[in-house]
Amino acid sequence: MTQKVHMFIVDKVNSSGYFSLSVDLMPDLSHTDQLSVVLQYLKDGQSIECFLTFMEVKSHTGEEIAHQVLQYLHEGCKLNFSKSSGQSYNNAANMSGHYKGMQKEILEENKFAIYVPCAAHSLNPVGQSAVDCSQVAVSFSLQCNCSIHFFQLNQLMENS
């Protein structure tokens, strides 16, 4: 089933003509860093975003992450990377760095895969700083989190 879904997504990406790449590092429950690979493409003028896979990170250098992702796209997906028109990652140096970052390695593979920093990763520190500068905002945020956890726990108990 996994292979059929994977091939369906790859076929859709290939038929769309162009795609962009989004990659993010995140730890799993065992605190092992995983690389999530997401592709975006256009279908009937609408942007479609599809998760492809999690990959175990072999190294945290931009060069190695780029090599790992490109190898997966070439060999595992049979995608023509020259059809990539963009790339988006967080603002960490190993991902966005101009000299040794993943974006530089990807640009060497395809000069048209323009790098755009992930807006969510860019806004998170701004929001955190805005909240942290006000004790009222910090208190409100904590109350919201407690309320959310209370309602989730309550719902869980009702369903069991």
Side-chain angles (χ1 to χ4, degrees):
M1 184 67 148
T2 303
Q3 288 175 337
K4 286 199 178 280
V5 170
H6 188 267
M7 288 314 299
F8 177 81
I9 293 169
V10 170
D11 288 344
K12 292 290 183 188
V13 170
N14 275 326
S15 68
S16 74
Y18 295 97
F19 65 92
S20 66
L21 171 68
S22 183
V23 175
D24 197 9
L25 283 167
M26 60 186 65
D28 62 13
L29 290 174
S30 67
H31 304 290
T32 302
D33 277 340
Q34 302 259 343
L35 205 58
S36 65
V37 178
V38 175
L39 296 181
Q40 287 181 304
Y41 64 96
L42 289 177
K43 179 183 177 187
D44 300 326
Q46 294 227 337
S47 176
I48 309 290
E49 188 173 82
C50 293
F51 167 79
L52 279 182
T53 192
F54 282 120
M55 299 166 53
E56 189 173 330
V57 179
K58 296 176 184 174
S59 167
H60 284 83
T61 67
E63 296 98 331
E64 183 56 40
I65 293 171
H67 174 73
Q68 195 175 349
V69 170
L70 288 171
Q71 183 177 6
Y72 168 74
L73 293 175
H74 287 302
E75 296 172 11
C77 299
K78 308 288 188 241
L79 283 171
N80 181 356
F81 198 73
S82 67
K83 302 234 175 169
S84 176
S85 60
Q87 53 177 317
S88 181
Y89 321 113
N90 62 23
N91 295 319
N94 65 334
M95 301 299 267
S96 65
H98 294 282
Y99 302 109
K100 292 187 176 186
M102 181 174 177
Q103 71 127 337
K104 179 210 169 259
E105 298 295 319
I106 295 290
L107 282 172
E108 285 181 4
E109 179 79 14
N110 176 357
K111 67 180 179 180
F112 299 110
I114 296 168
Y115 170 68
V116 177
C118 175
H121 282 95
S122 299
L123 287 175
N124 278 345
V126 172
Q128 186 66 44
S129 295
V131 168
D132 287 346
C133 71
S134 165
Q135 188 58 39
V136 173
V138 170
S139 178
F140 176 74
S141 178
L142 288 172
Q143 287 177 340
C144 287
N145 283 337
C146 288
S147 297
I148 290 169
H149 291 299
F150 173 77
F151 288 121
Q152 287 174 338
L153 183 61
N154 191 23
Q155 191 174 24
L156 216 119
M157 291 173 63
E158 286 177 359
N159 291 336
S160 59

